[in-house]
Amino acid sequence: MPLDISEGIFRRNKTFTTRSLKTKINIQTLAKELNVSTSTVSKALNDSHEISDETKRRVLELATKYQYSPNPHASGLRNNKSKTIAVVIPEVGNSFFASVIKGIESVARVQGYHVLIYLSNESFEKERMILESLQLGRIDGLLMSLALETQEFSHIQNLLSQDIPLVFFDRVPQEIQAHKVVTNEFELGYRAVQHLWDSGCRQIGYLLNGTSNSTLNLRQQGFLKALSEKNITNPETHIVEIPKEISDDTFFRLLQDKSFDGVIASVEELVTPLWSACKSGALVIAQELKVLSFCDFPLATVLSPTLTTVKHPATEMGKKATELLIAQIEKPRKTLSFQSIMLQSEIIPRESTLALSKTIS
Amino acid sequence: MPLDISEGIFRRNKTFTTRSLKTKINIQTLAKELNVSTSTVSKALNDSHEISDETKRRVLELATKYQYSPNPHASGLRNNKSKTIAVVIPEVGNSFFASVIKGIESVARVQGYHVLIYLSNESFEKERMILESLQLGRIDGLLMSLALETQEFSHIQNLLSQDIPLVFFDRVPQEIQAHKVVTNEFELGYRAVQHLWDSGCRQIGYLLNGTSNSTLNLRQQGFLKALSEKNITNPETHIVEIPKEISDDTFFRLLQDKSFDGVIASVEELVTPLWSACKSGALVIAQELKVLSFCDFPLATVLSPTLTTVKHPATEMGKKATELLIAQIEKPRKTLSFQSIMLQSEIIPRESTLALSKTIS
DNA sequence: AATGCGTTTTTAATCGTTTGGTATGATTGC
DNA sequence: GCAATCATACCAAACGATTAAAAACGCATT
């Protein structure tokens, strides 16, 4: 009961002392109350040198008292700045992108930026519509990871020609000049093969979900390169597209047909169906089929067997990309050279790729 | 090569036919070129009855030709509408919230709304700062799920007093009058106990991650109610707070000390540490300890044993909440009564709670 | 007292869109 | 034949913040 009362008082303090909240407080309200012009208030709040310390103090005091903050539309209109960035990603139900968003949001908040989120759902058409909806002025910049379907870039060129700062991350187009933040995909594809090979695999498969995208295939190229060096003929035949809604049985038979003794799951969405397929076919992971997956979820450590993964520095990637973007937004086209930052991912070996001699008891 | 050429042509069409893009196109540009006033253009684009069909046609034609779209700041300033909603959630690395976002985004896009995302990271202070940063005008409405730490609501009242439409979902405060979308939490807490009981458990624990929040405890109350009905004394002692960074060993000993034969993981973040603890302590899930978790990830079906979960209609919840919000935004305070929508979650029984007689071979 | 200089403040224009009031013919009604 | 009505389009005033340019002021120097 006493708690309730104190809470009530607190609320009243906050709410009623500050003036009837129906009255909009804008720069003019403040100006009138202080007997100065609106420009004085504006300059004072922007800490202009033209304003005396005394005036600044008075303005600031009243502004905080009324919790004033400038109308974003008005200043946006005037300055052509929105303090807003957009993030366009294929999806969010994926640990990788979730972590990226975390990174983006944390940097953006500190720098005073707001973050708009858009999901392309891997669809080119949606991606195009999203970019179209980002009309002139709504955003100061854009962070983007391409949809799998995207093979053509006029919608992006369109945005770039409007001088909107743009930073790509993870799924980046080789065809477009822009800042990019990526991981060492090629190397990882290559090393993933090496890892499986060292664990005794000789028939290594590469699983894609849905269609392959020729522009996003560095990882795949690393895979192919590694297979070639092992003198495998027709390495492309080791790449298998797994349809979205595949049955356990079909998946299992596919693995059998190719007689893989090791597979690389190129995205985390494949882990569940793969595990499920092996279970239904009584294919023992680690013993009969070694598995390495590109994914970021913590459950990898508690699957049985525990899953060997390639861990991406997802949050870091979000942060770096956002920092690059904000730098580009705030430094008026200083550099025309575009940076390509490469972060290092690492393979974390676990039971699913243990060499036979050391197989779990 | 021929593909490249056709692509080039396509791009040129899009980019150069449409006029030098350095020239900003605004309503005035259109007006001048059409020899009409800006108001005519504006009204034509808004399909006003004051404008003749012929004029409308001409305006629309030129507008589409130049891909004109009104400057959002200008119309925002004028109309005091931003076509933007904000989502404030505790985190995004959680399948539940990820799915909610999916739902929100899908509805918002169709209705022409943009979605700002903010993460409170379960911190009250961050949540407060976020709400503060949502100054007058930036958003038309707000969707929100409370941070665990939040026990006091002046920051929210503050926003409400500015007449910003607000819809809560999932983690909703009982203390605040607003639209709410929830699941049948109480019932689920109750039924979770019943499910474990039916599987033979007699010492059932409820695992929380971090601190309990008295305002978000319907699920917990359902749990307590069920225990009471089973004539368990001191049911509160069955609720255990698991610290964020708990060691496997500590976790395991905790389970032993309480001699639980069944536990409810109240959030999905607990699954990994729980599984890990059981593994390290050689505690056999399903046989020695039955587990039921509130979570939404697909991997539940491939853990071993497979995990009994409570599946929330997360995407549905995001959609419903957004629909409610947009309705509230667009229908000027028609109803003063607030809706509370309750969606049904369901328990999906899997191996981790199989009764002993049927234990996996 | 006039001039100049530096500081501080005000005036007024601007950003792009929307909209209430108004003007212009043309049409209709009495 | 004159007023009322209607369709159509324009004018100008918002919306709120920012910022060049101008003005006002204080103070010191000549």
Side-chain angles (χ1 to χ4, degrees):
Chain A
M1 201 48 153
L3 185 73
D4 248 343
I5 288 174
S6 79
E7 247 190 80
I9 288 175
F10 184 49
R11 250 182 248 154
R12 189 169 306 128
N13 269 340
K14 273 282 199 182
T15 312
F16 292 91
T17 305
T18 45
R19 133 196 295 259
S20 162
L21 278 151
K22 290 289 169 198
T23 317
K24 286 183 205 168
I25 40 157
N26 52 25
I27 206 167
Q28 333 213 24
T29 325
L30 294 186
K32 204 180 296 170
E33 187 147 344
L34 289 165
N35 271 321
V36 294
S37 73
T38 61
S39 62
T40 303
V41 177
S42 172
K43 286 175 181 171
L45 291 172
N46 291 321
D47 203 25
S48 158
H49 64 95
E50 308 179 25
I51 305 296
S52 70
D53 290 348
E54 169 60 11
T55 312
K56 276 183 194 170
R57 200 191 48 70
R58 286 178 51 216
V59 171
L60 218 66
E61 192 181 353
L62 200 70
T64 43
K65 181 180 164 199
Y66 287 166
Q67 294 185 251
Y68 165 79
S69 80
N71 181 305
H73 291 132
S75 47
L77 178 58
R78 177 62 217 238
N79 300 335
N80 209 26
K81 285 248 169 292
S82 59
K83 278 284 185 179
T84 303
I85 61 178
V87 182
V88 181
I89 52 176
E91 60 171 320
V92 72
N94 171 304
S95 321
F96 171 73
F97 286 117
S99 296
V100 172
I101 290 179
K102 213 175 204 163
I104 292 172
E105 207 261 356
S106 70
V107 172
R109 197 215 319 285
V110 171
Q111 307 264 18
Y113 281 81
H114 301 252
V115 180
L116 285 168
I117 190 169
Y118 300 90
L119 308 178
S120 66
N121 288 112
E122 306 286 11
S123 147
F124 168 71
E125 197 48 35
K126 272 197 189 149
E127 187 178 279
R128 203 182 55 68
M129 281 171 57
I130 289 166
L131 294 209
E132 240 174 41
S133 80
L134 295 175
Q135 315 109 307
L136 225 55
R138 186 175 286 278
I139 58 167
D140 292 346
L142 178 61
L143 293 169
M144 167 157 208
S145 197
L146 293 174
L148 275 180
E149 280 181 25
T150 302
Q151 311 261 13
E152 186 256 309
F153 307 101
S154 58
H155 57 312
I156 296 170
Q157 297 283 12
N158 218 3
L159 223 73
L160 282 176
S161 70
Q162 292 173 31
D163 283 328
I164 295 183
L166 170 57
V167 176
F168 286 101
F169 63 91
D170 192 52
R171 306 233 205 112
V172 307
Q174 291 154 39
E175 291 85 344
I176 292 198
Q177 295 272 329
H179 289 299
K180 292 168 189 172
V181 184
V182 294
T183 49
N184 48 339
E185 291 291 318
F186 183 87
E187 186 193 334
L188 288 167
Y190 185 92
R191 284 178 47 203
V193 171
Q194 191 60 51
H195 179 79
L196 287 171
W197 189 274
D198 292 348
S199 308
C201 301
R202 290 299 175 269
Q203 188 69 11
I204 302 172
Y206 186 91
L207 308 180
L208 289 167
N209 78 329
T211 333
S212 163
N213 181 327
S214 64
T215 70
L216 307 172
N217 61 0
L218 279 176
R219 190 184 290 170
Q220 200 170 314
Q221 278 168 20
F223 169 81
L224 292 174
K225 170 113 182 294
L227 282 202
S228 302
E229 289 185 6
K230 304 292 180 198
N231 294 316
I232 308 264
T233 50
N234 297 103
E236 315 77 36
T237 60
H238 289 232
I239 295 177
V240 185
E241 294 183 3
I242 310 295
K244 279 266 178 212
E245 302 290 340
I246 193 170
S247 76
D248 289 346
D249 197 46
T250 317
F251 202 159
F252 171 69
R253 270 187 285 117
L254 200 149
L255 293 170
Q256 294 290 79
D257 289 351
K258 296 275 184 179
S259 58
F260 289 140
D261 55 6
V263 291
I264 296 169
S266 66
V267 292
E268 74 183 45
E269 282 76 7
L270 287 168
V271 173
T272 307
L274 174 59
W275 232 254
S276 190
C278 291
K279 204 171 186 178
S280 94
L283 187 62
V284 183
I285 293 175
Q287 274 183 276
E288 301 176 71
L289 179 74
K290 306 215 183 302
V291 177
L292 178 157
S293 175
F294 283 73
C295 69
D296 281 276
F297 45 67
L299 282 168
T301 63
V302 297
L303 286 171
S304 70
T306 59
L307 174 62
T308 296
T309 60
V310 176
K311 178 145 189 54
H312 286 134
T315 311
E316 190 59 26
M317 185 176 262
K319 285 186 182 173
K320 267 275 172 296
T322 312
E323 283 163 7
L324 258 181
L325 181 66
I326 293 181
Q328 203 189 341
I329 290 171
E330 301 191 343
K331 294 207 185 75
R333 60 186 49 274
K334 193 171 156 188
T335 55
L336 275 175
S337 69
F338 293 107
Q339 286 190 52
S340 227
I341 295 181
M342 185 177 285
L343 302 175
Q344 300 297 310
S345 299
E346 48 174 342
I347 296 179
I348 302 177
R350 296 204 185 86
E351 293 167 1
S352 70
T353 56
L354 263 191
L356 276 181
S357 56
K358 298 184 239 165
T359 290
I360 40 169
S361 52
Chain B
M1 200 51 154
L3 185 72
D4 247 341
I5 287 173
S6 80
E7 247 191 82
I9 288 173
F10 183 48
R11 248 180 249 155
R12 189 169 305 129
N13 269 341
K14 274 282 200 184
T15 313
F16 293 92
T17 304
T18 45
R19 133 194 297 257
S20 162
L21 278 151
K22 289 291 167 193
T23 317
K24 287 182 203 165
I25 40 159
N26 52 26
I27 208 168
Q28 331 210 27
T29 324
L30 294 187
K32 204 180 299 172
E33 187 147 343
L34 288 165
N35 272 322
V36 294
S37 73
T38 60
S39 61
T40 303
V41 177
S42 173
K43 285 175 181 170
L45 291 173
N46 291 322
D47 203 25
S48 159
H49 65 95
E50 304 180 30
I51 304 297
S52 70
D53 289 349
E54 167 61 9
T55 311
K56 275 183 193 170
R57 200 192 49 70
R58 287 179 52 219
V59 170
L60 218 66
E61 191 181 354
L62 200 68
T64 43
K65 180 180 164 199
Y66 288 165
Q67 291 186 251
Y68 166 80
S69 81
N71 180 305
H73 291 131
S75 47
L77 177 58
R78 177 62 218 238
N79 299 336
N80 209 25
K81 284 249 169 297
S82 59
K83 279 286 186 177
T84 303
I85 61 177
V87 181
V88 181
I89 51 176
E91 60 171 319
V92 71
N94 173 301
S95 322
F96 171 72
F97 286 116
S99 297
V100 172
I101 291 179
K102 212 174 205 161
I104 292 172
E105 207 262 355
S106 69
V107 172
R109 197 216 319 284
V110 171
Q111 306 264 20
Y113 281 81
H114 300 253
V115 180
L116 285 167
I117 189 168
Y118 299 89
L119 308 178
S120 67
N121 287 112
E122 305 288 12
S123 148
F124 168 70
E125 196 48 34
K126 272 197 190 151
E127 186 177 279
R128 204 183 52 69
M129 281 171 55
I130 290 166
L131 294 209
E132 242 174 40
S133 80
L134 296 176
Q135 314 108 309
L136 225 54
R138 186 175 287 279
I139 58 167
D140 292 347
L142 178 61
L143 293 170
M144 165 156 209
S145 196
L146 292 174
L148 275 180
E149 281 182 26
T150 302
Q151 311 261 13
E152 186 255 310
F153 307 101
S154 59
H155 58 311
I156 296 169
Q157 297 283 13
N158 217 3
L159 222 73
L160 281 175
S161 70
Q162 293 173 31
D163 283 328
I164 295 183
L166 170 57
V167 176
F168 287 100
F169 63 90
D170 192 53
R171 307 236 206 110
V172 308
Q174 292 155 40
E175 290 86 345
I176 293 199
Q177 295 273 329
H179 289 300
K180 293 168 189 172
V181 183
V182 294
T183 48
N184 48 339
E185 291 292 318
F186 183 89
E187 186 193 335
L188 287 168
Y190 185 93
R191 284 179 46 204
V193 171
Q194 192 58 51
H195 178 79
L196 287 170
W197 189 273
D198 291 346
S199 309
C201 302
R202 289 302 174 267
Q203 187 70 9
I204 301 172
Y206 186 89
L207 308 181
L208 290 168
N209 77 331
T211 333
S212 163
N213 181 328
S214 65
T215 70
L216 307 173
N217 63 0
L218 279 177
R219 190 184 293 169
Q220 201 171 312
Q221 279 169 19
F223 169 82
L224 292 173
K225 169 114 183 291
L227 283 202
S228 304
E229 289 185 6
K230 302 294 179 197
N231 292 315
I232 308 264
T233 50
N234 297 104
E236 315 78 33
T237 60
H238 289 231
I239 296 177
V240 185
E241 295 183 4
I242 308 295
K244 278 268 176 206
E245 301 291 339
I246 192 170
S247 75
D248 288 347
D249 197 46
T250 317
F251 201 159
F252 171 69
R253 268 187 287 118
L254 200 150
L255 294 169
Q256 292 292 80
D257 289 354
K258 296 274 184 180
S259 58
F260 289 140
D261 55 5
V263 290
I264 296 168
S266 67
V267 291
E268 74 183 45
E269 282 77 6
L270 287 168
V271 172
T272 307
L274 174 60
W275 232 254
S276 190
C278 291
K279 203 171 187 179
S280 94
L283 189 63
V284 183
I285 293 175
Q287 274 183 275
E288 301 176 71
L289 179 74
K290 304 214 185 303
V291 177
L292 177 157
S293 174
F294 283 73
C295 67
D296 282 276
F297 45 69
L299 282 168
T301 61
V302 297
L303 286 171
S304 67
T306 59
L307 173 62
T308 296
T309 61
V310 177
K311 177 143 190 57
H312 286 133
T315 310
E316 191 58 26
M317 186 176 261
K319 286 186 182 173
K320 267 275 172 298
T322 311
E323 283 163 8
L324 257 181
L325 181 66
I326 293 180
Q328 202 189 342
I329 289 171
E330 301 191 342
K331 295 207 184 74
R333 58 189 51 276
K334 193 171 156 189
T335 55
L336 275 175
S337 69
F338 293 106
Q339 285 191 54
S340 230
I341 295 181
M342 185 176 287
L343 302 176
Q344 300 297 310
S345 298
E346 48 173 343
I347 296 178
I348 303 177
R350 297 207 185 85
E351 293 167 1
S352 69
T353 56
L354 263 192
L356 277 182
S357 58
K358 298 185 237 163
T359 290
I360 40 167
S361 53

